[in-house]
Amino acid sequence: MTRSARSAAVLLLGVLLFSAPLHAQGVGLTLGGGLAVPLGTYDEVVKLGWHGTAGLSFAAGSFPLGFRIDGTFAQFSDEIVPEIKTQVMNGTANAVYRFPSSGTTRFSPYVIGGLGVYNTKASGEGAPEGSATEAGINLGAGFDIRAGGAGLFVEARWHNMFLEGENLKFLPITLGIRFGGG
């Protein structure tokens, strides 16, 4: 077994062991990834991309309003020169509203939105030099399918990075796993 496979197995085992105590405290860990869809004029410059995300969520018992901190890495290929990759990294602080549902259902819809710091940089031969770091906003919706202290989630969130001129907009569609509460 390679070192990275061993590390991933240890991380997964640790998350599984601690998911019940996290759930009891209203703290959750989210890990996910999926498609990243460029929007607006950004769609004219890059192709459909991919992203990975991780976050911590905090909720107080049955109160429907919670808080989530996320970090996301997305990568897109240039529309004309596919060897040029554009990376967008962000850290966001979000309010999460979970719609009330019966205690017996495993399906839990929610809306999410907040503010963040975004960085974009192109790499590869012929890529423009430098990077940009600016503020941004995000809004979205999703749902959880719970199974004990863990569960799956599906989420789509519109991100808008404020740039001089045209803003950078994209829509990550995430499939992931949530451990603990929140």
Side-chain angles (χ1 to χ4, degrees):
M1 185 183 279
T2 67
R3 176 179 280 200
S4 59
R6 240 187 335 260
S7 298
V10 168
L11 176 64
L12 181 60
L13 179 62
V15 167
L16 291 173
L17 288 174
F18 290 105
S19 66
L22 288 174
H23 184 70
Q25 296 176 7
V27 177
L29 170 68
T30 58
L31 300 171
L35 295 175
V37 181
L39 301 172
T41 57
Y42 195 47
D43 184 41
E44 298 168 9
V45 179
V46 297
K47 297 178 182 177
L48 184 70
W50 61 270
H51 81 284
T53 189
L56 285 175
S57 56
F58 308 92
S62 63
F63 191 67
L65 192 60
F67 183 72
R68 190 161 100 200
I69 299 170
D70 289 320
T72 300
F73 176 89
Q75 182 170 293
F76 303 90
S77 294
D78 189 86
E79 189 71 48
I80 297 170
V81 184
E83 294 78 28
I84 296 177
K85 308 293 183 202
T86 302
Q87 301 163 352
V88 180
M89 292 184 290
N90 65 64
T92 61
N94 307 285
V96 180
Y97 178 81
R98 295 194 176 283
F99 293 99
S101 57
S102 77
T104 60
T105 186
R106 293 177 188 257
F107 182 80
S108 176
Y110 61 89
V111 292
I112 184 169
L115 304 173
V117 176
Y118 293 74
N119 175 275
T120 185
K121 180 180 180 178
S123 62
E125 191 166 329
E129 297 276 331
S131 67
T133 302
E134 299 292 341
I137 59 173
N138 72 90
L139 298 168
F143 62 88
D144 290 316
I145 302 171
R146 293 275 181 200
L152 296 176
F153 73 95
V154 176
E155 178 179 282
R157 253 198 289 177
W158 170 81
H159 288 264
N160 183 30
M161 178 182 177
F162 301 122
L163 292 173
E164 190 173 311
E166 189 70 31
N167 292 345
L168 187 153
K169 299 173 192 145
F170 66 103
L171 179 80
I173 301 169
T174 308
L175 173 62
I177 188 163
R178 186 180 318 277
F179 300 98

